[in-house]
Structures are given as C-alpha cells and as structure tokens.
Amino acid sequence: MSTTLTKTDAAYQLCMSPQCAATFGIDEILTTCPECGNLLDLSYNWDQVAVPSSLRDFEARWSTRTNPLDFSGVWRFRELIPFAPEDKIVTIGEGQTILQQSDRVGQFVDVNSGNLHLQYEGLNPSGSFKDNGMTGASTHARMMGAKAAACASTGNTSASLAIYASTAQLFEVVVFVGSGKIAFGKLSQALDFGAKTIQIQGDFDDAMAQVREVCGQRSIYLCNSVNPFRLEGQKSTIYRVLEGLNWEPPDWIVVPGGNLGNSSAFGKALRELKELRLIDRIPRMAVINAAGANSLYELHEERGLRWNNGDVDDALIESFYDEMDRAERRASTLATAIEINRPVSLKRCLRALAITDGVVRQVSDEQILDAKAQIGGGGFGCEPASAASVAGAKQLRAEGVIAPSDRVVCILTGHQLKDPNATVAYHSSEAGAIDAKLSDAGVDSVAFPNRPVPVENEIEKILEILD
Ligand code: F0G
C-alpha cells in the first residue's frame, strides 16, 4: 500500500513516525498508518506550491473578500494548506476571528501593559475553533465523495461537524457524545443542525473508541482530529495570530489541551513557517490541562515523556494508562470540553512541544473559573476550557517562566454561550454558599462573582440597591 511515488506529489500523507515514514496519496481515507499504527500528517513538496515570499502577501486578500476562499480565515492562507482543488473546498466563512490586546486580562496575568493578547476563536460560525479544522475535513470528505461522516466529541467538534454537514448538504452526519457532562449549548447545536446524535453511556474516550469502530465497519468518514486534513485547517489560527501581531512572532502561545489536536496543529504550522523562512523565530507554546484531566501534564512534566525524535517511550504511556485504569481514575472537570483521559494526538503534541520548546501545566477548576470571570469582565466571553489558557499563563508568570516583558497570546477556543450553566453557577456563588454544581466539582471559593441581586418589584427598593 505504501508507495514512494507519492513523495513526488505536491501533497501526500506521511506517517508521523520518522522511523516508519510510510507515505500515502491524499486520495486514501486513512486515520492511522497501516504500517505502524501511528497517526498521519499531511506533507507537501513546497517547491510545487506557489507559496508567497512574505506573509504580508496574504493581506492583499482582504480586498478580494467577495471570493469565498479569500473571505475564509482558513483558505485565504490556502498556499500553506495546499491539498484541495479550489472547486472542492467546503467553506462557511470560518476563521473570521481576531487577536485583541487586553490590559485587563494582562493585569490579572501580571504581564506588562500591551503584552497580553487574546485570540478569540469563539467567533467562528459554530462558536468554537473546531470550524478551522472542520472545513479541512469536510473538504477532503467531499474530495473522496463521502456519503456519511462521523465524530466523537465533548461537544464542540459535534456542533462543528453538524453545521458543515447541514450547510453543505453533501453527507449525512452522526455524532457520538458521552452521556455525562456535554454542555447544553453544544448539544443543542448538534440537535438543531440535524445531526443524528448518539449519547453513549460513557465518557468521551468511550465515544471515541466506538466511533473509530463504527467508521471502520460502515465506511463512514471520520472527522476527529486523528484526521490529518482537519489539523491542516487548524494551522490557520497561528497565521491569524501572526497577522494580528503584524507578522512578528510573540514570545508565548498558550492553549488549552484536551485531545491535543490544536496544539499539534500549532506546532506543525510553526515548523513549516520556519522551514519556509516566513518567520525567523518560533514562539514557545504552553499547553494547559485541567487538573482533573491531566494526562499530558502527568506524562510530560511528571514522568519526563518526550518526543525524542519520534522514538517515544510507548511503554511509559501504556503503564500510565494502566495505572489510571487500575485506580479507576476517570477525567473529571467543569471544563467539560477537555475532560479527556487518553488524548489521541498525544504523540503529535509531544512533537509540537519539542518544536516550540514548550511546557505543560495543569490548573484547577477554581483557577479556570476565576480566569474566565476576568476574561468576561474584559469583554471576551468564553467557555471554561478556553479560560484554562489564561489561568495557565497566570501560573507560568507566577513561576517566573513567563516574564513580565514577554508578549503572550492566549487562545480562547470556545464561545461564552456554549456553557451558560457554568457561568451562572459561578456568578451566583458567594463565600459559604457555593453553587452545588461547583462545590460537587471541588470548587470551594470564587474570587470574582457578580451575583444577580433579587429585589421586590418596588421602585424604592430598587433605588435603595443602586444607592
Ligand atoms: N477548548 C475547547 C472549547 C474545546 O472544545 C476543546 C476540544 C479544546 C479546547 C481542546 O482542544 O482537543 O485540540 O486539545 N474539544 C473536543 C471536542 C475534544 O470534542 O469538541 P484539543
């Protein structure tokens, strides 16, 4: 099946393991390498692609935004994601997202004025960064003539796949979610966009295992981030971050880590930009786990697991997972989007950490929710998982790993309205009276609540409160 011929194509699939390095055409639907079982990447012969000589050249596309490909915040960088014929691209205007400086959040993190930036991916059509990748996966599904597509999800991937399928009307969609903690905003999206929604009695990892099996048995196109075409679209967040900084790389990019697709895509994007000499320096990346779902943190920071030029210590990973199973430890966090035990892109993320001289941290639900309230107070609503980035940046600053003079970009991955229950529970709490949803999760204090004030329907009473 593997053929060296594909290495001469402009784009081909390449096993991520340098020790295997098997190659496959982009006209094959694969989610793992048939030779060694590792994940696949897209690889390009850049000399066959008309890559602009400067990132600034992409700015010209702002003036041709009536072309849907130039309007898309993913495909206006299409020479850096060059796998699709233009007439096959499925786009719904994803990636219209912005980088914003926030001194309010900067003060909270404790970096110098002007140095804290938020990349607000919640502005995507389905309200999360997943659309950046789903346009890539949907495009490849279309290239392959897929009739049905599926994913497992903690909520946002399913909402994203559902919106693409309903807009493009090219394939049927089935999404698998755990029956536990999917936030209602996300579940409601999958239902409203008409996706067949299967709630498995189990968590994300159970849903992930089942969807892989189902896709194999029924020849359904799998849209989880094991799919290398999805990760190609997710590289675009990095391009937009750089664009927002006038093409000057920041010192740090801080991103929440769940299934680890996003951080993996960021590492690949940065490596490619450096190889193409479009940037001269690679920023450091910090991947932030929720403490209740901290497999990457445990493996990378506590047990020293490294990419090691592709020679990853599989036995260490397996023994860690066995230990988790024996202790019956399952991921549990109010940041439900990242409540994942066995991240499928673990090794890709290790590679990204090696490329970026990266670090991993874990933050508690309390830290996450306090950071979320600060982000909201600064005018950028986000869901709990997203706020892990700001909480992580604050922690790294307190440790002295991030300096006050560093330029820091935190990725806000999902919109505030995805999980209003978490927001209301936080703001309704006070010392000694923490909302049950929060206290059940171990949160016993809230630093920045903004409680609704109950009042009788009488003008004097209302004015009393305002005085
Ligand atoms: N933030 C949000 C809002 C997410 O929905 C996710 C992942 C992440 C961060 C973590 O990103 O998986 O690339 O490391 N959500 C997936 C889902 C798992 O099914 O929607 P990652």
Side-chain angles (χ1 to χ4, degrees):
M1 210 175 185
S2 159
T3 156
T4 50
L5 270 185
T6 48
K7 283 197 169 157
T8 60
D9 294 346
Y12 57 95
Q13 301 187 73
L14 169 67
C15 177
M16 68 170 290
S17 162
Q19 287 71 22
C20 171
T23 58
F24 309 91
I26 58 167
D27 55 353
E28 292 196 52
I29 301 179
L30 297 167
T31 45
T32 50
C33 173
E35 312 260 324
C36 73
N38 276 298
L39 298 181
L40 298 164
D41 290 318
L42 271 238
S43 197
Y44 303 106
N45 283 311
W46 293 108
D47 51 1
Q48 296 184 39
V49 181
V51 181
S53 56
S54 155
L55 283 169
R56 267 176 213 290
D57 292 2
F58 289 107
E59 287 172 19
R61 295 209 167 123
W62 287 114
S63 62
T64 47
R65 284 162 69 83
T66 48
N67 172 356
L69 299 189
D70 290 351
F71 180 68
S72 165
V74 175
W75 297 105
R76 66 191 163 85
F77 298 102
R78 51 194 173 274
E79 288 83 358
L80 299 171
I81 315 169
F83 71 83
E86 293 196 0
D87 62 340
K88 295 285 188 216
I89 289 174
V90 182
T91 173
I92 60 171
E94 57 285 319
Q96 302 303 313
T97 64
I98 44 173
L99 186 83
Q100 292 270 325
Q101 190 198 306
S102 173
D103 276 345
R104 158 105 185 220
V105 177
Q107 271 168 20
F108 175 69
V109 170
D110 190 25
V111 290
N112 294 349
S113 170
N115 280 10
L116 196 286
H117 294 82
L118 300 170
Q119 176 67 21
Y120 188 27
E121 291 299 311
L123 287 183
N124 268 291
S126 80
S128 87
F129 75 95
K130 301 288 178 180
D131 297 345
N132 297 317
M134 210 51 80
T135 183
S138 303
T139 297
H140 188 243
R142 183 181 191 184
M143 287 162 65
M144 296 291 96
K147 295 281 173 286
C151 70
S153 181
T154 55
N156 280 326
T157 304
S158 52
S160 182
L161 178 56
I163 199 175
Y164 275 88
S166 57
T167 314
Q169 296 282 318
L170 291 167
F171 38 78
E172 298 292 315
V173 157
V174 47
V175 303
F176 292 73
V177 296
S179 56
K181 297 204 216 146
I182 179 170
F184 253 40
K186 306 173 191 183
L187 181 59
S188 67
Q189 287 179 291
L191 300 176
D192 216 28
F193 292 133
K196 178 171 282 210
T197 303
I198 300 188
Q199 272 193 296
I200 292 183
Q201 286 171 11
D203 58 16
F204 170 81
D205 295 74
D206 298 318
M208 188 70 225
Q210 296 292 6
V211 77
R212 285 179 109 153
E213 187 65 32
V214 169
C215 286
Q217 288 200 22
R218 292 284 173 88
S219 298
I220 296 175
Y221 188 91
L222 180 59
C223 288
N224 279 98
S225 53
V226 289
N227 181 326
F229 296 90
R230 218 186 93 186
L231 259 56
E232 287 306 290
Q234 287 182 206
K235 294 189 306 189
S236 64
T237 302
I238 291 293
Y239 310 146
R240 295 192 295 276
V241 164
L242 291 171
E243 187 176 49
L245 294 172
N246 211 13
W247 307 112
E248 261 298 308
D251 296 298
W252 285 93
I253 294 178
V254 191
V255 61
N259 222 11
L260 305 179
N262 220 19
S263 44
S264 300
F266 290 6
K268 184 172 191 284
L270 291 165
R271 189 193 61 197
E272 288 172 351
L273 290 176
K274 182 85 189 333
E275 279 168 8
L276 290 165
R277 295 173 199 227
L278 292 168
I279 54 174
D280 55 11
R281 184 173 61 79
I282 291 184
R284 295 186 73 186
M285 180 167 67
V287 183
I288 312 300
N289 271 169
N294 64 352
S295 297
L296 178 68
Y297 173 77
E298 274 285 333
L299 285 165
H300 188 266
E301 299 294 324
E302 300 290 343
R303 304 182 188 210
L305 185 71
R306 290 292 181 274
W307 169 241
N308 202 16
N309 295 320
D311 193 9
V312 179
D313 186 348
D314 287 312
L316 180 60
I317 302 173
E318 278 320 307
S319 72
F320 172 69
Y321 288 154
D322 283 351
E323 212 177 280
M324 262 171 74
D325 289 347
R326 275 200 307 278
E328 292 183 14
R329 190 153 53 86
R330 303 296 285 178
S332 178
T333 168
L334 288 170
T336 53
I338 52 176
E339 191 183 68
I340 292 172
N341 301 283
R342 290 166 157 75
V344 299
S345 287
L346 173 66
K347 287 192 195 175
R348 281 178 176 152
C349 179
L350 293 174
R351 182 180 60 188
L353 289 164
I355 291 167
T356 59
D357 187 20
V359 298
V360 183
R361 289 293 182 270
Q362 59 173 355
V363 289
S364 68
D365 282 0
E366 210 165 292
Q367 286 173 286
I368 287 175
L369 293 179
D370 285 341
K372 182 173 129 50
Q374 288 293 311
I375 295 163
F380 293 89
C382 70
E383 64 169 287
S386 311
S389 60
V390 170
K394 183 176 173 62
Q395 187 165 309
L396 286 163
R397 175 63 207 96
E399 289 173 20
V401 177
I402 292 180
S405 56
D406 284 347
R407 289 212 302 176
V408 181
V409 174
C410 294
I411 312 293
L412 299 184
T413 45
H415 198 279
Q416 179 186 42
L417 297 178
K418 291 279 189 175
D419 189 359
N421 292 352
T423 308
V424 173
Y426 179 88
H427 286 297
S428 306
S429 295
E430 59 186 317
I434 302 292
D435 181 279
K437 183 176 158 72
L438 269 50
S439 58
D440 288 353
V443 173
D444 50 26
S445 84
V446 289
F448 312 107
N450 180 23
R451 284 181 294 283
V453 185
V455 64
E456 286 164 49
N457 186 15
E458 281 179 31
I459 187 67
E460 292 77 18
K461 300 268 165 108
I462 295 169
L463 291 174
E464 250 170 52
I465 289 169
L466 296 181
D467 287 341

